[in-house]
C-alpha cells in the first residue's frame, strides 16, 4: 500500500495506485477525466470508511506519521511565537513545547506535547517520542506562571493526536477541552492496557474498545467539551483545512471563556473535574 495509507484503507490504496499509474502517462482529456473520476470514488469510499471507524482504527489515525503537530498548528494559527526553553533547574525537555504568541491579535501562551512529525526518526528521537520528563512539566508550569503574572490565556487543552498517558492528562486541566474528531485520549495506550489486564499486548484492539478513548465516547462521558471536525480522511490529509476547522472552535471557546470572571471559571472547572468520577462503571 502507499506509505501514507493505513491498513484499513486498502480499497483507497488500490485506487491511488491507479491514479499514480495514469498520472505517469501522457496527459489527454480522456485520461484526465478518468483521474478525476477515480478521485471522486476515493472521496466517496473514504467518506464511507471514516463514518464507521472502530476504536482501534481511530488509534491508527491518531498515530498517523503525517498528522499535524502542535507546531504545525502554531505556524498556521498564531503569530509572533516565541518559544520558552528550560525549567531553570535541570534541562530543557523537547517533548514539551511552550511559548508566547498572538492569536487574532491577542497575547496568549501555548503549551503542548510534541512527539515529532512527518515520519522523521531523528525528530522523534529529539522529541523523545512525546514522552515528557519531569523537567518538561516544570517548564510547562513555569510558562503558565508567567502567563498568570501577565494575565494571558493559556492555549493548552486541544487533544489533536494521541493523548495516551498520565502526562497527557497532567497538562490538560482547563476551562474548555477540545478534541479532534479522530484523536484519542486516555490514561494509557491500548497496548499497555492489554499488557496489564490480560498480559497480552496483542489484545490491543479489545483494549482500545474497552478504554472508551474516542471523541464520541468522551463527550458522552462529559470528559471533553467539544469535538473538532477534521478533513475527510483525517487531519493528516489536509493540514491547512485541519487548522481552519480548529481555528473556528478555538476562537469560539476563548470568546465564551473570556466572558466569565476568574472565580466563575475556577468554580466551573472544579465542578467539572470533580464530577468526572461520578459516572460509575460504563456498560459494554
Amino acid at each position: 500500500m502507499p506509505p501514507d495509507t493505513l491498513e484499513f484503507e486498502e480499497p483507497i490504496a488500490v485506487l491511488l495506485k491507479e491514479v499514480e499509474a495514469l498520472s505517469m502517462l501522457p496527459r489527454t482529456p480522456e485520461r484526465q477525466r478518468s483521474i478525476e473520476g477515480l478521485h471522486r470514488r476515493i472521496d466517496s469510499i473514504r467518506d464511507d470508511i471514516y463514518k464507521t471507524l472502530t476504536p482501534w482504527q481511530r488509534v491508527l489515525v491518531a498515530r498517523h506519521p503525517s498528522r499535524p503537530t502542535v507546531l504545525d498548528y502554531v505556524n498556521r494559527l498564531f503569530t509572533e511565537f516565541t518559544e520558552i526553553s528550560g525549567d531553570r533547574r535541570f534541562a530543557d525537555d523537547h517533548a514539551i513545547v511552550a511559548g508566547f504568541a498572538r492569536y487574532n491579535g491577542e497575547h496568549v501562551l501555548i503549551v503542548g506535547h510534541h512527539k515529532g512529525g512527518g515520519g522523521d526518526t531523528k525528530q522523534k528521537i529529539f522529541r523523545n517520542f512525546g514522552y515528557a520528563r519531569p523537567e518538561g512539566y516544570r517548564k510547562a508550569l513555569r510558562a503558565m506562571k508567567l502567563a498568570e503574572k501577565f494575565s494571558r490565556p493559556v492555549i493548552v487543552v486541544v487533544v489533536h493526536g494521541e493523548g495516551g498517558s498520565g502526562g497527557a492528562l497532567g497538562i490538560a486541566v482547563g476551562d474548555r477541552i477540545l478534541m479532534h474528531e479522530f484523536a484519542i485520549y486516555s490514561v494509557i495506550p491500548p497496548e499497555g492496557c492489554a499488557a496489564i489486564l490480560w498480559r497480552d499486548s496483542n489484545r490491543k484492539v479489545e483494549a482500545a474498545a474497552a478504554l472508551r478513548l474516542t471523541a464520541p465516547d468522551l463527550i458522552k462521558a462529559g470528559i471533553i467539551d467539544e469535538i473538532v471536525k477534521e478533513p475527510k480522511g483525517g487531519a493528516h490529509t489536509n493540514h491547512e483545512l485541519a487548522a481552519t476547522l480548529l481555528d473556528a472552535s478555538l476562537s469560539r471557546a476563548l470568546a465564551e471563556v473570556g466572558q466569565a470572571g476568574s472565580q466563575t471559571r475556577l468554580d466551573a472547572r472544579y465542578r467539572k473535574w470533580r464530577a468526572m468520577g461520578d459516572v460509575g462503571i460504563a456498560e459494554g
Side-chain angles (χ1 to χ4, degrees):
M1 291 194 297
D4 286 341
T5 308
L6 298 169
E7 60 185 36
F8 60 85
E9 295 180 308
E10 187 173 356
I12 296 172
V14 172
L15 296 176
L16 287 173
K17 288 181 179 179
E18 290 187 37
V19 171
E20 184 180 7
L22 288 173
S23 299
M24 295 174 68
L25 299 173
R27 179 170 294 185
T28 65
E30 182 180 358
R31 196 164 286 137
Q32 187 61 30
R33 285 194 294 271
S34 296
I35 292 174
E36 292 171 357
L38 285 170
H39 278 299
R40 286 193 293 271
R41 286 178 60 193
I42 289 170
D43 287 341
S44 177
I45 293 172
R46 180 177 278 141
D47 192 38
D48 290 340
I49 289 174
Y50 275 76
K51 283 179 180 177
T52 57
L53 290 184
T54 66
W56 175 248
Q57 288 170 338
R58 287 175 180 263
V59 172
L60 296 178
V61 176
R63 291 175 175 175
H64 196 285
S66 297
R67 195 164 177 85
T69 67
V70 59
L71 290 181
D72 288 324
Y73 287 117
V74 167
N75 291 334
R76 286 173 169 81
L77 299 180
F78 299 85
T79 58
E80 300 179 27
F81 177 63
T82 303
E83 189 168 357
I84 295 173
S85 300
D87 65 346
R88 296 296 186 267
R89 294 185 186 181
F90 180 66
D92 184 30
D93 185 353
H94 303 295
I96 294 287
V97 172
F100 287 101
R102 283 181 181 267
Y103 178 67
N104 294 332
E106 182 180 6
H107 289 285
V108 299
L109 172 73
I110 300 164
V111 181
H113 280 271
H114 196 322
K115 65 176 182 179
D120 186 337
T121 302
K122 288 185 178 179
Q123 185 184 150
K124 290 181 182 296
I125 293 172
F126 177 73
R127 297 290 180 182
N128 197 33
F129 297 88
Y131 289 99
R133 300 180 175 93
E135 56 265 31
Y137 296 111
R138 286 195 295 265
K139 176 169 69 172
L141 182 60
R142 181 171 79 86
M144 291 178 188
K145 289 290 186 182
L146 282 172
E148 180 183 30
K149 179 179 179 180
F150 295 106
S151 301
R152 296 185 178 181
V154 180
I155 310 295
V156 57
V157 195
V158 179
V159 184
H160 60 87
E162 182 182 10
S165 71
L169 304 178
I171 63 169
V173 178
D175 297 312
R176 290 288 188 278
I177 303 177
L178 309 182
M179 182 173 176
H180 275 84
E181 185 179 4
F182 302 119
I184 60 170
Y185 189 37
S186 174
V187 296
I188 192 171
E191 295 89 340
C193 175
I196 292 172
L197 290 183
W198 302 295
R199 300 185 184 277
D200 182 3
S201 60
N202 290 324
R203 296 179 68 176
K204 57 193 177 185
V205 176
E206 186 178 349
L211 282 169
R212 301 289 197 270
L213 43 62
T214 72
D217 288 327
L218 294 171
I219 199 164
K220 188 183 301 182
I223 305 298
I224 64 172
D225 299 298
E226 181 179 341
I227 297 176
V228 181
K229 296 291 291 183
E230 295 189 27
K232 188 182 297 182
H236 60 275
T237 64
N238 190 329
H239 288 199
E240 201 65 44
L241 179 56
T244 299
L245 293 169
L246 174 59
D247 189 27
S249 294
L250 191 57
S251 61
R252 182 170 57 252
L254 282 175
E256 291 173 356
V257 171
Q259 293 175 358
S262 176
Q263 192 58 50
T264 300
R265 294 198 305 271
L266 287 172
D267 292 343
R269 190 189 311 166
Y270 178 82
R271 289 193 301 270
K272 174 184 175 62
W273 286 84
R274 288 291 294 176
M276 285 184 184
D278 293 343
V279 296
I281 299 175
E283 296 181 0

